[in-house]
Amino acid sequence: MTHPGIASPEQSRTGSMPRESADPSPSGSTVLSVRSAVYSYGSELALEGANVSLGRGEILAITGPSGSGKSTLMLVAAGVLKPTAGQVTYNDRIISNENERQRSRLRRSDFGILFQFGQLVPELTAVENVALPLLLSGVKRAKARAAATAWLDRFDVADLATSRPPEMSGGQSQRVAAARALVTEPTVLFADEPTGALDTVSGELVMSEIVRVAREAGTSIMLITHSAKVAAYGDREIVVRDGRTTESMIDLEATGTNA
Amino acid sequence: MSSPSLATSLRLAIAGSRSDRMRIALTAIGAFATTVLFCLAASVAFIGEASGPYRFDVLNQPGLRPGVIISMLALTIPTLVFVGQCSRFGAPSRDRRLARLRMAGAQPSEVARIVALETGLASLLGSLAGAGTFFIAKRQFSTEHVATITTQTELGGGGIQIDEVTTTVRLLPTDVTFTAWSIVLLVAVVPLLATMFSSIALRKVIVSPFGVARTQPTAPPTVLPAVLFGAGTLALVGWSTISEALDLHRRALPIVVIVSFCFFIMIVAGLITGGGSIAAAAGHFIAPRTDRPSLLIAGRRLISAPYTSARATTSVLLAVFIGSAVQATREAFLVGTDPTDTFYADTFDLLNVVLIAAIVLSAASLLVTTTEAVVERRRNLAALTAAGTPRSTLARSLLAETLIPLVPSVLLAATAGVLSARGLFGTRVETWDPSTGRSTWLDVHVPLVETATLAVGAIIVCAVVSSVSFGALQRSVDVSELRTAA
Ligand SMILES: Nc1ncnc2c1ncn2[C@@H]1O[C@H](COP(=O)(O)OP(=O)(O)O)[C@@H](O)[C@H]1O
Ligand SMILES: [Mg+2]
C-alpha cells in the first residue's frame, strides 16, 4: 500500500538535522546509550543505575511494573531530565553534560516524543499541531503545512486536518500526536505508553501504524509500556524493576546456565 | 448521600490543592484592599461641619468631596474585579471536584452552597482584616499638626476669595465618627458582592454528574460594541458645539450632566463588550498568517477564548480611558488659571495618583488570570517543553496573548478619553486678560505626552505582569506533569 504523501515530508526536510551516515562506535549501530543512570526527585530515588543501549532503527520495548522508573528512564534518555549520576550518550555527544538549551535543541531536531495524552495544543487544528515542530525549526508556513498534511495522511487522519484535539477521539489524537512526533523525521522516537489511554482495538491499530511508519523512516523507538502485547512490537525488551534495568532475554539465559 | 452538614461543606470548600489555597488567600487580599477603600470613601462622606480642617484642601471643600468619594469608589472597581478574578482562580479543578460530588449524589444547590461558602468566608476574613486595619490606622494617624493651608471662599457675584491660613490640621479625615450600622455595612458589602459573583460564575459552568461542561462561549458581538463606542465618542466630541447651539448649559444643566454621563457610559460599555471582539478579530487575522509558533498559539487561543484576556484587562482599559479624559480635562482647566494657584494642579495630581493606583490594581488581576492560564495547561506546556519547544517561545506566546488585544484597545481608550473630554470642555477657553482688559480665547493643548505616557505605561505594566507570571510558573512547568499513571 502506497501513500501519495510519503514523498512530501522527505522534500520538506529542513536539512538542519545532523545525521551521521556511519556510526563510529565499535558496535556499529548504537544511537543512544544510557550508562549507570541515577535519578532522584528530591529525596525520592527513581532510577538507581539503569543501562540501556538503543540500536539504529531498533524498536526497544521497556517494560516493568508501575512506579518502577520506566518514565523517568525515558525522560533521562531523551535529555528532558539530567541524570543525577551516570551518562547519556547520543551518537558522539554526551548529552548528560549539556545544558538545557542544547538538549532542548537536540530534542527538537533529532528526537520525537509521544506521551499517553495531553500533548496536543487544544486550540490548534490537527495540521497546525503537526506543523508546529517544523515552524519551530524555521520552516515557512506553507511548506510546514504541506508536510504536516502529508504526515497526517500517513496516519490516515488527513480528513481531520482542520479539527481541534477536543473534537477528536483518543485514537485520532494519538495518530495526530504520532504524526507530530515524527514530522521532523527524528532519529529516535520516545513513546511513553502511547496507547495507554486507548481501548485494545484502536490501541493496537495505532501502535502498528507507528511501528510501520517508523520502520519506513528507519527511526529507532524507545517504547515504554506495561503491556506485554505492546511490548511484542519491540525487537528487544528491557525490564525495569525498582529503578534498575535487566535485559530480559540475556538475563534469563545467564541466570539459567550459571545457577 | 445525605445533604452535607455545614462542617462537611466547609471542609469540602477548603480541602484541596495549592491553587485552592491560593484562591482563598487572593480572594481575602482583594477583599481586604476593597474594604479599606470603601472605609476611606466613607470617612470622606462622613466629614461634617465640625470636622477638619485637613491638609488636602479638596477635603475641606464640600463641593469637591463628592468627586473625592467618586474617585475612591472608582478605585474599588479594579479591586472588585480582582476579587472576582481571584474567586475563579484554579476554579476549573475545583469544579471537577464538585462534579465528582454531584456524581456521588449531591444536589446542585449543595454544590452552589459550598462555592458560596468558600468565597464568602474568604472575603469576609479579608473584609474584617481590612476594616480592622483601617480603624487602627485611623487611630494612629489622628494627630493634629500645624500647617499653612489655602482656603477658598465663594463670594457673592461668582468670585472666589483665596486665603492662606495657618492652623492646626489633620492629614486625613481621621476625626470623623462611624456609626455602628455603617461599620457593619462596610464589612459586609465585599463578601456579599463576591459571593454573588461566584454564584453567578458557577451557574455558567454546568456541574453535571458526568463532569464539567462549560457553557459554549458565543462568538463575541462586533456591531454593538462598535456602535456604542463610536456613537458615544462622536456625541461627546460634538457635545460642546451641540449644547452651545441649543444653549443647553444655561437652560438645563442637570440634563447636560446626565446626558453626557450616559455617553461616557456608552463608551465604557463599548470598550468592555468590544474587548472580546478585538481579541477574536486579532486572532483571526494573525493565526492563519504567521510563521511564528508563539503567535500561532496566541492567535488560536484568542479565537477560542476571546473574553478571557479581555476580561483580565478591562479595568486597565477603564483606567486608561478615564485617565486620558482626566489629562484632557486638566489641560482645559489649567489653561485659563493663574499658574501660581496650584489648587487645580494639586487636585489633578491627586487624581493621577489614584489612576496609577488603579492601573497597578488592575495589573494584579491580570496577574491572576495569566497565572491561571499557565496553571491550567501546565501538562500541555510540560509536554511541549519536553518535545523541545523553547520556553522563550512559550513565554512569548503568553505575552502576545495579553498584548495583541490590549494594544489596540488601549489606543482606542486613550483616543476616546482625550477626544470626549475635549468635546465636553471645548478646545478653546475664554479668559479675561487683566493687562489688556479684554477677554481672549486660548487654545486647550492636546495632552499628547501625558496620554501617551499613560497608555504606554499601562501596556508596559501589563507586559511585565504577564512575563512575571510565566517566569514564576516556569518551575511549575516541570516534568512531573508528564508522568502517566501506568
Ligand atoms: N515528579 C516526581 N516527584 C516525586 N517522585 C516522583 C516523580 N515522578 C516520579 N516519581 C517517583 O519515581 C518513581 C518512578 O516513577 P516513574 O518513572 O513514573 O515510573 P513508571 O513510569 O514506571 O510508572 C516512582 O516511585 C514515582 O513515585
Ligand atoms: Mg510511567
Side-chain angles (χ1 to χ4, degrees):
Chain A
M1 180 167 136
T2 51
H3 282 267
I6 280 178
S8 183
E10 211 62 53
Q11 288 160 359
S12 70
R13 276 192 49 192
T14 57
S16 64
M17 285 165 279
R19 199 174 292 179
E20 285 87 335
S21 49
D23 194 313
S25 72
S27 64
S29 66
T30 302
V31 191
L32 184 87
S33 75
V34 178
R35 277 195 219 309
S36 321
V38 176
Y39 190 86
S40 57
Y41 297 96
S43 60
E44 170 102 30
L45 200 56
L47 279 189
E48 353 187 340
N51 293 289
V52 179
S53 72
L54 181 66
R56 192 172 295 280
E58 184 186 29
I59 299 181
L60 174 66
I62 295 185
T63 59
S66 174
S68 56
K70 306 183 295 294
S71 299
T72 308
L73 173 59
M74 184 197 89
L75 292 171
V76 165
V80 177
L81 297 177
K82 210 168 177 161
T84 319
Q87 209 174 55
V88 182
T89 321
Y90 170 69
N91 289 333
D92 280 341
R93 291 168 64 171
I94 303 173
I95 61 173
S96 45
N97 288 347
E98 295 180 357
N99 62 26
E100 166 60 20
R101 184 186 281 274
Q102 293 166 311
R103 284 181 285 126
S104 172
R105 187 188 297 272
L106 175 72
R107 299 200 295 270
R108 193 154 72 234
S109 60
D110 287 34
F111 296 167
I113 299 193
L114 189 54
F115 296 103
Q116 192 170 350
F117 64 91
Q119 57 213 304
L120 297 176
V121 181
E123 293 87 5
L124 297 188
T125 61
V127 69
E128 285 167 344
N129 261 297
V130 178
L132 196 62
L134 294 177
L135 294 177
L136 279 170
S137 44
V139 178
K140 290 286 164 204
R141 246 181 65 77
K143 245 182 158 183
R145 284 180 75 96
T149 310
W151 275 96
L152 285 175
D153 195 35
R154 276 188 161 185
F155 282 96
D156 287 324
V157 281
D159 52 328
L160 294 176
T162 56
S163 311
R164 272 158 245 279
E167 304 156 10
M168 298 175 200
S169 74
Q172 289 169 338
S173 324
Q174 284 309 87
R175 283 161 206 260
V176 175
R180 185 172 81 180
L182 291 168
V183 71
T184 53
E185 307 207 346
T187 314
V188 184
L189 173 68
F190 296 90
D192 190 352
E193 309 275 2
T195 59
L198 309 180
D199 61 77
T200 329
V201 177
S202 59
E204 244 167 78
L205 266 172
V206 170
M207 202 55 236
S208 60
E209 282 183 48
I210 292 172
V211 168
R212 170 179 61 80
V213 172
R215 291 259 193 243
E216 283 168 10
T219 306
S220 313
I221 305 182
M222 186 181 268
L223 176 62
I224 312 293
T225 182
H226 67 286
S227 130
K229 234 178 178 167
V230 175
Y233 283 97
D235 303 322
R236 195 160 56 98
E237 183 179 338
I238 281 182
V239 182
V240 183
R241 275 213 172 76
D242 299 326
R244 293 172 190 282
T245 47
T246 43
E247 198 104 3
S248 64
M249 299 309 289
I250 298 165
D251 247 24
L252 269 179
E253 281 168 15
T255 48
T257 49
N258 292 350
Chain B
M1 179 171 156
S2 66
S3 169
S5 69
L6 187 74
T8 314
S9 304
L10 235 174
R11 203 170 43 73
L12 286 168
I14 54 178
S17 59
R18 195 173 50 165
S19 67
D20 289 316
R21 288 194 295 274
M22 183 114 156
R23 176 178 60 248
I24 291 170
L26 287 172
T27 307
I29 291 170
F32 178 95
T34 316
T35 304
V36 168
L37 286 170
F38 274 131
C39 288
L40 285 172
S43 65
V44 177
F46 287 147
I47 294 175
E49 289 291 324
S51 330
Y54 305 110
R55 170 70 191 79
F56 289 107
D57 202 34
V58 271
L59 297 175
N60 297 328
Q61 311 275 328
L64 292 174
R65 269 182 234 137
V68 177
I69 297 170
I70 288 172
S71 315
M72 294 287 179
L73 291 180
L75 252 188
T76 64
I77 294 173
T79 58
L80 279 172
V81 170
F82 178 72
V83 175
Q85 295 284 4
C86 292
S87 67
R88 292 298 302 159
F89 180 83
S93 64
R94 177 194 60 186
D95 294 344
R96 278 194 290 278
R97 197 171 74 235
L98 297 177
R100 283 201 291 277
L101 266 184
R102 287 276 285 120
M103 223 176 321
Q107 294 302 306
S109 61
E110 291 161 354
V111 168
R113 194 171 76 180
I114 292 171
V115 171
L117 204 63
E118 181 200 272
T119 315
L121 281 179
S123 44
L124 183 64
L125 269 173
S127 272
L128 281 172
T133 309
F134 172 79
F135 284 108
I136 292 170
K138 180 171 172 292
R139 253 239 180 77
Q140 293 295 315
F141 290 105
S142 65
T143 46
E144 290 175 287
H145 48 98
V146 178
T148 306
I149 54 168
T150 28
T151 60
Q152 296 192 16
T153 322
E154 296 217 11
L155 301 175
I160 290 178
Q161 182 194 327
I162 298 175
D163 297 305
E164 298 226 320
V165 189
T166 303
T167 175
T168 55
V169 296
R170 287 186 165 82
L171 187 63
L172 292 167
T174 42
D175 54 342
V176 299
T177 43
F178 281 66
T179 53
W181 63 262
S182 68
I183 295 172
V184 171
L185 198 71
L186 283 169
V187 170
V189 62
V190 179
L192 284 178
L193 289 175
T195 309
M196 247 167 60
F197 172 83
S198 67
S199 308
I200 292 168
L202 185 73
R203 214 180 303 163
K204 286 199 170 180
V205 180
I206 306 163
V207 183
S208 82
F210 306 107
V212 177
R214 203 167 279 266
T215 44
Q216 270 296 302
T218 45
T222 35
V223 179
L224 181 71
V227 167
L228 283 172
F229 179 82
T233 310
L234 281 180
L236 284 178
V237 166
W239 186 245
S240 53
T241 320
I242 298 169
S243 67
E244 260 162 46
L246 300 178
D247 201 18
L248 283 176
H249 273 290
R250 220 146 311 180
R251 284 205 225 136
L253 192 65
I255 293 179
V256 170
V257 172
I258 290 169
V259 171
S260 54
F261 187 70
C262 285
F263 288 134
F264 265 105
I265 295 294
M266 271 170 73
I267 298 175
V268 167
L271 275 176
I272 292 175
T273 54
S277 354
I278 289 177
H284 278 294
F285 180 80
I286 289 166
R289 286 180 179 78
T290 182
D291 282 331
R292 306 173 68 121
S294 54
L295 287 181
L296 176 64
I297 295 174
R300 283 290 178 209
R301 281 179 56 83
L302 286 175
I303 295 171
S304 74
Y307 281 115
T308 309
S309 69
R311 221 176 335 117
T313 53
T314 296
S315 41
V316 176
L317 285 186
L318 291 187
V320 169
F321 171 66
I322 296 170
S324 323
V326 166
Q327 305 317 312
T329 310
R330 178 197 180 110
E331 292 293 335
F333 271 72
L334 294 189
V335 71
T337 55
D338 178 3
T340 57
D341 174 11
T342 56
F343 174 72
Y344 282 118
D346 282 349
T347 308
F348 279 107
D349 284 347
L350 207 61
L351 258 180
N352 280 343
V353 171
V354 170
L355 280 165
I356 290 168
I359 289 176
V360 170
L361 285 170
S362 313
S365 63
L366 178 66
L367 184 65
V368 173
T369 325
T370 47
T371 305
E372 163 135 51
V374 175
V375 170
E376 223 176 298
R377 46 190 186 132
R378 55 185 185 264
R379 188 192 169 86
N380 187 236
L381 292 174
L384 288 171
T385 309
T389 313
R391 288 185 179 193
S392 57
T393 303
L394 300 173
R396 257 183 278 127
S397 148
L398 196 75
L399 191 61
E401 204 180 316
T402 305
L403 292 189
I404 287 170
L406 182 70
V407 170
S409 311
V410 161
L411 294 182
L412 281 175
T415 312
V418 171
L419 286 182
S420 47
R422 285 174 67 80
L424 205 56
F425 297 108
T427 53
R428 282 155 62 81
V429 169
E430 192 180 13
T431 50
W432 189 72
D433 187 344
S435 58
T436 57
R438 276 184 297 159
S439 75
T440 51
W441 284 92
L442 293 175
D443 282 331
V444 177
H445 298 292
V446 180
L448 269 184
V449 176
E450 291 85 348
T451 312
T453 308
L454 184 71
V456 174
I459 291 170
I460 290 174
V461 167
C462 291
V464 167
V465 160
S466 161
S467 316
V468 164
S469 62
F470 189 83
L473 278 149
Q474 275 207 349
R475 271 165 285 127
S476 96
V477 181
D478 70 13
V479 287
S480 55
E481 296 299 331
L482 300 170
R483 294 174 61 204
T484 39

